[in-house]
Amino acid sequence: MGVPAELADRPLAEQHEYLRSRFSRRSVIRGGAVTLGAVAGGAFVPGAALAAAPTAAPAGGPATEHVDGALVAPFGRHLSYGTDPRTEMTVSWQVPAPVKDPYIRIGAHAGELSRKIPAEVRALYTPAGVGTSADHTQYYVHARLSRLRPGRTYYYGVGHRGFDPASPRFAGTIGTFTTAPSRAESFTFTAFGDQGVSYHALANDNLILAQGPSFHLHAGDIAYADPSGSGQTTDTFDARTWDQFLAQTETVAKSVPWMVSYGNHDMEAWYAPHGYGSQEARFAPPANGPDPKNLPGVYSFVHGNTAVISLDANDVSWEIPANLGLSGGTQTTWFEGQLKKFRAHGSGIDFIVVFFHHCAYCTATSHASEGGVRKEWVPLFDKYTVDLVINGHNHVYERSDVLKGDRVTKELPIGGTAYPETDGVVYVTAGAAGKSLYSFPVADTYAGHEKDVDPFASYVTQADGSKKPVTVDWSRVRYTDYSFLRVDVRPAAPGRTATLTVRGIAETGAEIDRFVVARRVRH
């Protein structure tokens, strides 16, 4: 089995080839299940989703052909906007065993659910020896809903043969979601990266739910089923971590669209040469990016007056080059096209928010700043006056002054206001969602605990993997405990000023940072 020529120089593709040659097609089929896609002629075909779950269990496991559906409860519900958040929503969930005829019901009231709308099962098989678990098959279910009404709250229930959410017996499983409005209205969204499974991750989920967000942005390194995240054959991996993660996250993701971007720990080599075959099974974000099969975490959506763009920084990362050059430049070309579209007169867009994993600007000692991101995308952030850039990767909270390139154009103290059209871009690292924390080379400084620090030393990763020393004078807020980001969006009439009020919130609920991004409305 060979690696496609365009992927041949990528370490992740090499790892995929190694795993696939080690675990033969025969041993996979003996397990009685297949991965997302088809194992055909010895080659893996990513993105060819299964229409129904397999009925046989992996060798040595219990027989599953006759499982009573009434004894199999859905879990791990999570939502995603479709391409048009006003009218489209995808509801996703997991079942612990194969089920027949999965479906969703929706309605305007909990007691008035619709007929059954068929859903799609995507089965994901991980053989023993790939990582630390035994043979393990996961069953993810997705229902794409369209022709919904803007700004409407819907009730929904997910089920399968033997498990009907419309039955009084299962009434407690009914959830809700709300579509985006048809016109600009005030709303809140939240964001973080690097969550994993932990008490801190669960605490942040509960705090996020309390903010009442319209949607949540996850800036990569989602569950940490692959804790090493380096794209090497020595990586450890446990697919069962995803079961724990989705059960943990259901608290909030069952009612708040959970919009994901992929980090280095989300590249899982067994499933596809680009590492995202498993994520195609678990998540269903908008498929409107430049290449949904190879870049499933690259997409955009619009909520009210705000455009949100998710990028895949693994494609440009010099620090962790496992997928470096994956898109061949098409991602950046698409990204600039999106920026042009959203900045065009008459688009109705005031704010552009971009989120992805690797940090453009950060001083945490573990990863600091990513030179590949700076080279590829920072000039576009500046050219199109992006309003807010949100990253993860470093497990801290850090916020910059206002920047153009590497230059501070305006100091932005806590409580200050930035005007992107004239000032520049603000960068926030919000990677303290639940995994172990990193540190800074200098003291923390945050609301109520401000400290003046002279310019200090950090580094930027270079194309050869080296760390170029730099002197930093742009690091305005630093906090080394668990936290997340809350953003309140307030539209305005033409000629007046629309605002993003951005706040860093600690796990305690305390506010560690606050600043405003303001734009004069011209449309």
Side-chain angles (χ1 to χ4, degrees):
M1 180 184 63
V3 175
E6 66 272 17
L7 306 178
D9 295 331
R10 292 189 7 262
L12 196 76
E14 294 173 6
Q15 184 189 4
H16 171 76
E17 182 178 28
Y18 166 79
L19 291 172
R20 286 279 159 171
S21 62
R22 180 181 174 190
F23 298 93
S24 69
R25 177 176 182 268
R26 179 180 177 184
S27 66
V28 171
I29 293 177
R30 188 187 304 124
V34 295
T35 58
L36 172 69
V39 179
F44 180 74
V45 185
L50 298 176
T55 58
T64 56
E65 290 90 338
H66 304 293
V67 169
D68 183 352
L71 304 178
V72 179
F75 73 97
R77 289 170 292 176
H78 52 289
L79 307 176
S80 176
Y81 281 144
T83 298
D84 185 350
R86 299 170 300 178
T87 61
E88 300 173 356
M89 187 76 72
T90 298
V91 180
S92 305
W93 65 97
Q94 193 172 352
V95 287
V99 296
K100 296 181 179 179
D101 305 323
Y103 61 85
I104 187 172
R105 296 182 186 271
I106 64 170
H109 306 283
E112 299 179 7
L113 299 182
S114 71
R115 62 177 175 81
K116 300 174 182 178
I117 302 170
E120 173 197 20
V121 177
R122 302 177 185 177
L124 197 68
Y125 173 63
T126 310
V130 175
T132 59
S133 68
D135 280 3
H136 190 57
T137 304
Q138 295 160 306
Y139 304 96
Y140 300 102
V141 192
H142 303 273
R144 295 183 183 271
L145 303 173
S146 60
R147 293 184 292 179
L148 303 170
R149 294 185 179 182
R152 176 72 63 87
T153 295
Y154 289 89
Y155 291 78
Y156 74 90
V158 300
H160 48 262
R161 189 186 302 180
F163 189 103
D164 190 345
S167 166
R169 179 182 176 187
F170 302 124
T173 67
I174 301 300
T176 64
F177 64 79
T178 302
T179 53
S182 59
R183 54 190 174 85
E185 298 176 359
S186 297
F187 69 95
T188 296
F189 71 89
T190 51
F192 60 41
D194 305 81
Q195 188 178 19
V197 179
S198 70
Y199 291 116
H200 299 291
L202 182 60
N204 262 339
D205 281 348
N206 291 333
L207 277 171
I208 283 170
L209 186 62
Q211 313 304 309
S214 294
F215 57 87
H216 176 74
L217 307 180
H218 197 309
D221 283 6
I222 301 169
Y224 285 85
D226 180 353
S228 51
S230 58
Q232 303 298 318
T233 56
T234 54
D235 282 4
T236 57
F237 177 70
D238 190 342
R240 298 168 300 182
T241 303
W242 282 102
D243 302 341
Q244 297 173 296
F245 176 83
L246 291 173
Q248 165 192 276
T249 307
E250 185 175 23
T251 306
V252 56
K254 68 181 180 182
S255 58
V256 176
W258 201 258
M259 310 304 294
V260 296
S261 181
Y262 297 134
N264 54 293
H265 287 272
D266 303 316
M267 299 182 291
E268 297 171 346
W270 160 253
Y271 306 99
H274 54 41
Y276 300 133
S278 54
Q279 309 310 347
E280 290 180 86
R282 298 180 183 112
F283 297 101
N288 60 2
D291 185 357
K293 297 303 181 186
N294 284 316
L295 297 168
V298 180
Y299 57 88
S300 68
F301 65 91
V302 172
H303 187 109
N305 68 338
T306 302
V308 179
I309 302 174
S310 171
L311 298 177
D312 184 350
N314 293 317
D315 180 32
V316 301
S317 173
W318 292 341
E319 180 200 14
I320 303 173
N323 254 340
L324 180 61
L326 173 63
S327 77
T330 58
Q331 178 177 198
T332 298
T333 300
W334 172 85
F335 177 43
E336 182 165 18
Q338 294 290 290
L339 294 173
K340 286 180 179 178
K341 178 179 70 174
F342 292 136
R343 282 290 178 244
H345 180 73
S347 70
I349 301 301
D350 296 321
F351 298 110
I352 298 176
V353 175
V354 181
F355 76 110
F356 53 91
H357 188 60
H358 300 256
C359 298
Y361 292 90
C362 188
T363 65
T365 54
S366 292
H367 298 296
S369 301
E370 169 60 66
V373 167
R374 288 196 183 186
K375 177 180 181 295
E376 193 78 4
W377 295 335
V378 165
L380 297 179
F381 300 153
D382 293 339
K383 180 178 179 179
Y384 295 97
T385 63
V386 167
D387 298 283
L388 180 65
V389 175
I390 300 170
N391 299 137
H393 202 39
N394 284 288
H395 302 179
V396 294
Y397 179 93
E398 186 170 23
R399 192 257 295 168
S400 73
D401 282 324
V402 192
L403 303 178
K404 286 187 179 179
D406 300 338
R407 181 174 59 88
V408 175
T409 56
K410 179 180 180 179
E411 293 186 353
L412 188 62
I414 295 171
T417 299
Y419 298 89
E421 290 178 284
T422 55
D423 296 342
V425 184
V426 181
Y427 296 84
V428 177
T429 298
K435 288 298 289 183
S436 57
L437 298 166
Y438 294 169
S439 61
F440 292 109
V442 293
D444 285 9
T445 175
Y446 55 94
H449 297 79
E450 291 93 340
K451 294 182 180 180
D452 290 328
V453 176
D454 292 333
F456 60 93
S458 185
Y459 66 87
V460 182
T461 302
Q462 300 299 291
D464 62 0
S466 64
K467 299 177 180 179
K468 177 183 176 181
V470 293
T471 299
V472 169
D473 62 354
W474 46 257
S475 178
R476 177 57 56 176
V477 178
R478 297 178 298 278
Y479 182 73
T480 50
D481 211 335
Y482 297 100
S483 59
F484 66 93
L485 205 63
R486 169 178 172 151
V487 182
D488 297 308
V489 184
R490 299 291 179 266
R496 296 186 177 273
T497 300
T499 60
L500 302 178
T501 300
V502 185
R503 294 191 283 175
I505 308 292
E507 186 183 67
T508 61
E511 185 176 290
I512 56 173
D513 187 23
R514 178 196 290 256
F515 64 96
V516 175
V517 177
R519 272 188 181 271
R520 191 171 183 82
V521 178
R522 303 184 187 282
H523 53 80

